[in-house]
Amino acid sequence: MCDLFKRELLFKVLVIGDFGVGKTSIIKRYAEGTFSTKYKITIGADFALKQIDWDSETRINIQLWDIAGHERFGYLTSVYYRYAVAAAIVFDLTRPDTFVAVSKWLNDLRDKVSLPHGKPLPVIILANKGDVAANKVPVQIEEFCKKNQIVSWYITSAKENRNIDSAMNRLILEALENQ
Ligand code: GDP
Ligand code: MG
């Protein structure tokens, strides 16, 4: 019966980054609790839903958008970014070039979307595949985050389910504060 009094929010969260860094795996892990080593190339936009009872008054429907094959262009259309309230930029710890690309993804994001009141979207960085390369964190990451107003960064593993929930929770918290 308490459901009657709950506020229900819909958060569109973008998961972006280069091809093969683990975006789809992170989304699957977070929304479905599964992991697969099979490469799946989906074409077109794709999203997963996860419902969280954040507190006794708040239910959040998180819509995680997977860029699903559009990575190869290196940018996205504004339509894709529209109405998003937060973003996770993912790179692969085993491939340093994917960290270099984080800056490109961030620029694309900031160019094309901001919150209704003009504030920039909260962004986190996920250094993924921490199960195989946790020792390969780029030395510049801390400075990069500070310089670019990144909320926080995490070493994650979609394979071993490391840090994905805590990273997403942090992002949701930021989005809630912007409500
Ligand atoms: P996307 O192109 O960014 O969506 O990347 P995918 O989610 O398709 O993942 C690319 C490949 O990396 C797949 O073979 C995954 O199984 C693998 N992968 C994804 N996340 C992890 C991880 O945390 N650890 C390891 N070892 N492999 C991962
Ligand atoms: Mg994918």
Side-chain angles (χ1 to χ4, degrees):
M1 70 176 176
C2 291
D3 272 11
L4 285 173
F5 305 104
K6 269 192 182 169
R7 63 169 171 158
E8 192 150 340
L9 302 170
L10 176 66
F11 284 172
K12 173 176 172 179
V13 175
L14 305 167
V15 181
I16 57 182
D18 274 3
F19 183 71
V21 295
K23 300 179 298 296
T24 303
S25 303
I26 287 169
I27 292 170
K28 288 248 145 69
R29 170 60 81 190
Y30 183 64
E32 297 165 15
T34 58
F35 178 80
S36 156
T37 51
K38 280 194 216 102
Y39 244 95
K40 194 189 99 196
I41 302 170
T42 16
I43 301 299
D46 210 354
F47 64 79
L49 270 173
K50 186 177 170 92
Q51 195 172 66
I52 295 182
D53 283 321
W54 185 260
D55 57 33
S56 55
E57 288 111 54
T58 317
R59 170 167 291 168
I60 308 174
N61 295 292
I62 302 160
Q63 206 180 53
L64 290 147
W65 283 54
D66 190 347
I67 64 176
H70 291 289
E71 304 95 317
R72 61 206 149 98
F73 304 117
Y75 62 89
L76 296 167
T77 66
S78 330
V79 175
Y80 181 87
Y81 287 119
R82 194 172 296 160
Y83 307 124
V85 299
I89 305 181
V90 187
F91 74 96
D92 179 342
L93 284 167
T94 69
R95 287 192 294 146
D97 56 306
T98 64
F99 175 68
V100 175
V102 167
S103 150
K104 183 195 71 186
W105 286 108
L106 182 67
N107 288 337
D108 193 45
L109 177 85
R110 296 252 158 98
D111 277 355
K112 290 177 182 158
V113 68
S114 55
L115 298 172
H117 42 283
K119 258 177 72 176
L121 249 67
V123 176
I124 55 168
I125 293 178
L126 306 181
N128 194 42
K129 308 197 186 180
D131 56 290
V132 285
N135 57 342
K136 297 233 173 76
V137 177
V139 289
Q140 325 88 298
I141 195 163
E142 203 56 69
E143 196 193 329
F144 180 86
C145 288
K146 216 176 277 170
K147 218 168 97 188
N148 293 288
Q149 287 86 47
I150 302 294
V151 170
S152 193
W153 66 275
Y154 298 82
I155 298 175
T156 59
S157 167
K159 188 177 181 184
E160 296 185 346
N161 195 17
R162 251 193 259 170
N163 258 346
I164 290 170
D165 283 354
S166 31
M168 292 308 297
N169 275 344
R170 181 67 204 276
L171 202 51
I172 293 160
L173 197 63
E174 292 291 321
L176 269 172
E177 278 171 11
N178 289 327
Q179 281 297 296

mmCIF file of all heavy atoms in Angstrom, residues 24 40 66 71, ligand 2:
data_model
loop_
_atom_site.group_PDB
_atom_site.id
_atom_site.type_symbol
_atom_site.label_atom_id
_atom_site.label_comp_id
_atom_site.label_asym_id
_atom_site.label_seq_id
_atom_site.Cartn_x
_atom_site.Cartn_y
_atom_site.Cartn_z
ATOM 1 N N THR A 24 28.457 -3.308 -23.157
ATOM 2 C CA THR A 24 27.312 -4.224 -23.137
ATOM 3 C C THR A 24 27.413 -5.175 -21.942
ATOM 4 O O THR A 24 26.422 -5.439 -21.257
ATOM 5 C CB THR A 24 27.230 -5.008 -24.470
ATOM 6 O OG1 THR A 24 27.156 -4.061 -25.535
ATOM 7 C CG2 THR A 24 26.015 -5.908 -24.519
ATOM 8 N N LYS A 40 28.896 -9.893 -28.876
ATOM 9 C CA LYS A 40 27.616 -9.706 -29.551
ATOM 10 C C LYS A 40 27.604 -8.313 -30.148
ATOM 11 O O LYS A 40 27.776 -7.331 -29.452
ATOM 12 C CB LYS A 40 26.479 -9.860 -28.547
ATOM 13 C CG LYS A 40 25.123 -10.027 -29.213
ATOM 14 C CD LYS A 40 23.991 -9.962 -28.205
ATOM 15 C CE LYS A 40 23.381 -8.591 -28.212
ATOM 16 N NZ LYS A 40 22.559 -8.252 -27.105
ATOM 17 N N ASP A 66 22.747 1.497 -24.398
ATOM 18 C CA ASP A 66 23.938 0.876 -24.965
ATOM 19 C C ASP A 66 24.092 1.417 -26.380
ATOM 20 O O ASP A 66 23.139 1.368 -27.162
ATOM 21 C CB ASP A 66 23.713 -0.640 -25.003
ATOM 22 C CG ASP A 66 24.967 -1.407 -25.342
ATOM 23 O OD1 ASP A 66 25.953 -0.778 -25.785
ATOM 24 O OD2 ASP A 66 24.961 -2.636 -25.168
ATOM 25 N N GLU A 71 29.782 2.864 -31.929
ATOM 26 C CA GLU A 71 31.106 3.291 -31.481
ATOM 27 C C GLU A 71 32.025 3.572 -32.663
ATOM 28 O O GLU A 71 32.885 4.437 -32.597
ATOM 29 C CB GLU A 71 31.812 2.218 -30.654
ATOM 30 C CG GLU A 71 31.092 1.703 -29.459
ATOM 31 C CD GLU A 71 30.322 0.442 -29.749
ATOM 32 O OE1 GLU A 71 29.673 0.371 -30.810
ATOM 33 O OE2 GLU A 71 30.357 -0.458 -28.914
HETATM 34 MG MG MG B 2 28.342 -3.537 -27.148
#
